[in-house]
Amino acid sequence: MKEDTFFGKVLVVGRTNVGKSTLINQFITSKISITSRRPNTTQTHVTGIYTSKVIQFELIDSPGIQISYKNYLDKKKLRDTYNLIKDTNIVIFVITSFVWTPQEKNLLEYIKKKNNEYIMVINKIDKIKDKKSLLPFIFKISQLIKNHEIFLISAKKKMYLEQLLICIKKKLPILNHKHLDHIKTTCTKKFLIAEVIRETLINLLNKELVYAFTVSISFLYQDTKKRYTIKSIIFVNNLRHKKIIIGSKGKKIKQCCCKSRYKLEKLFKEYVFLNIQVKIK
């Protein structure tokens, strides 16, 4: 008799910098979503794939919910996230200890209306020395989401992720798997490479420049020995930004290239030759 297989889509939502991308990377055991201390690091929805025997699900990372949305692209990302809430099997709502603002309140109200299969996750508990101090906050949240699970985790430290994973598995519908077992993401290699370079640059730059550039992969080739040759262009708005990214005597861009190449070799497990240019749009 054929064993049942389970498949579903799991959306991870929450405000910026609550650890959504870190949580997804830990589940997938591969860095498919970039992380940074800077707000709004995740700029688009990124899908990872978890597979273990009869269980498979897509984990969708979403851009963080912001206090205000100033442009069309930001508003579109919010609309896309809200649409996904309606269309996924499970929603994981990630928050951090003691933080509950109108943004969290509004998001929870929408989730309640559109998708009853949601899980509340309080992340970064490793930073709380006195765990008993969390009890009033946990009680407050429990009153808002009666009959729904609350999990206390540290995604970064891999604390209590197994219990959350068990809960997700229990909620998945019986369906055939949609991806081969070894596939970790639906993202293309070019997208992953661009995101790695963007993450590296974000962590090297001042706050004002975090969103003032875009990364494009102009050339990607893998030879018979499986070595990668990659050419990338960082597009900026003006000469001042270009000078900042290149740095004194090219120091900054060399750092970016070296660190990005190391990350890419770790990701692809093959030798990488990486060339990065900076151009004004």
Side-chain angles (χ1 to χ4, degrees):
M1 184 177 177
K2 188 179 178 182
E3 193 174 9
D4 286 335
T5 57
F6 299 83
F7 177 85
K9 294 187 177 184
V10 181
L11 175 66
V12 183
V13 299
R15 69 159 53 235
T16 60
N17 286 99
V18 293
K20 301 184 299 296
S21 298
T22 302
L23 176 62
I24 286 174
N25 290 337
Q26 296 289 25
F27 274 151
I28 304 303
T29 63
S30 181
K31 186 147 188 172
I32 58 102
S33 195
I34 69 173
T35 57
S36 168
R37 291 182 181 179
R38 309 286 193 207
N40 304 318
T41 302
T42 302
Q43 292 288 292
T44 187
H45 292 86
V46 179
T47 302
I49 301 160
Y50 174 92
T51 307
S52 178
K53 298 178 181 178
V54 297
I55 303 290
Q56 186 178 86
F57 56 88
E58 294 179 356
L59 261 174
I60 306 167
D61 192 5
S62 62
I65 304 299
Q66 304 175 46
I67 294 172
S68 62
Y69 294 86
K70 297 177 182 179
N71 57 54
Y72 168 78
L73 285 176
D74 283 341
K75 290 175 182 177
K76 182 181 182 302
K77 285 184 284 187
L78 180 65
R79 283 200 306 272
D80 290 345
T81 296
Y82 273 45
N83 287 332
L84 282 168
I85 288 171
K86 296 183 287 184
D87 297 334
T88 50
N89 301 98
I90 305 165
V91 178
I92 297 178
F93 188 177
V94 183
I95 61 174
T96 51
S97 308
F98 312 118
V99 178
W100 190 260
T101 71
Q103 281 70 48
E104 279 82 11
K105 179 177 177 289
N106 293 338
L107 181 56
L108 178 60
E109 286 176 358
Y110 185 84
I111 293 170
K112 283 181 174 180
K113 290 177 184 176
K114 301 297 181 180
N115 194 328
N116 194 47
E117 290 294 345
Y118 63 88
I119 303 167
M120 185 67 73
V121 171
I122 302 175
N123 191 25
K124 303 186 182 181
I125 63 161
D126 56 299
K127 294 185 177 181
I128 309 299
K129 290 183 178 179
D130 180 13
K131 299 296 189 287
K132 288 183 180 179
S133 65
L134 268 173
L135 292 174
F137 182 72
I138 295 169
F139 178 76
K140 174 185 175 180
I141 301 302
S142 68
Q143 295 303 297
L144 297 172
I145 58 162
K146 290 181 179 179
N147 302 317
H148 283 78
E149 298 88 346
I150 301 176
F151 288 88
L152 279 66
I153 68 163
S154 168
K156 187 175 182 180
K157 302 288 185 180
K158 301 181 183 179
M159 293 170 61
Y160 313 120
L161 298 187
E162 190 61 38
Q163 291 91 329
L164 175 58
L165 191 56
I166 290 169
C167 181
I168 293 170
K169 289 175 179 179
K170 287 180 179 178
K171 293 178 180 291
L172 293 173
I174 298 174
L175 281 174
N176 292 329
H177 292 182
K178 292 188 178 180
H179 308 281
L180 297 174
D181 290 356
H182 68 278
I183 301 296
K184 296 282 189 181
T185 179
T186 59
C187 300
T188 65
K189 281 185 179 179
K190 280 191 174 183
F191 175 85
L192 292 174
I193 293 164
E195 286 289 272
V196 165
I197 295 169
R198 190 167 69 86
E199 175 192 56
T200 305
L201 205 49
I202 285 172
N203 290 319
L204 285 172
L205 289 174
N206 298 321
K207 286 183 180 179
E208 75 224 46
L209 269 176
V210 169
Y211 314 111
F213 66 88
T214 56
V215 180
S216 174
I217 307 304
S218 58
F219 182 80
L220 172 60
Y221 174 72
Q222 190 175 20
D223 65 21
T224 54
K225 294 183 179 179
K226 297 189 176 180
R227 297 172 299 190
Y228 286 92
T229 299
I230 302 164
K231 293 182 181 179
S232 172
I233 302 171
I234 296 170
F235 289 103
V236 295
N237 295 324
N238 53 54
L239 183 59
R240 185 176 73 88
H241 289 171
K242 182 178 179 179
K243 287 180 178 179
I244 292 172
I245 288 176
I246 291 173
S248 176
K249 296 181 181 179
K251 185 178 178 182
K252 189 78 72 179
I253 197 65
K254 284 177 184 176
Q255 278 183 299
C256 177
C257 194
C258 183
K259 291 185 177 184
S260 297
R261 186 171 66 84
Y262 171 78
K263 291 178 184 178
L264 290 170
E265 287 182 339
K266 195 173 179 181
L267 178 65
F268 296 137
K269 297 180 174 57
E270 299 293 348
Y271 176 82
V272 171
F273 171 79
L274 177 63
N275 175 268
I276 300 177
Q277 292 180 304
V278 186
K279 293 184 178 182
I280 298 170
K281 288 180 184 177

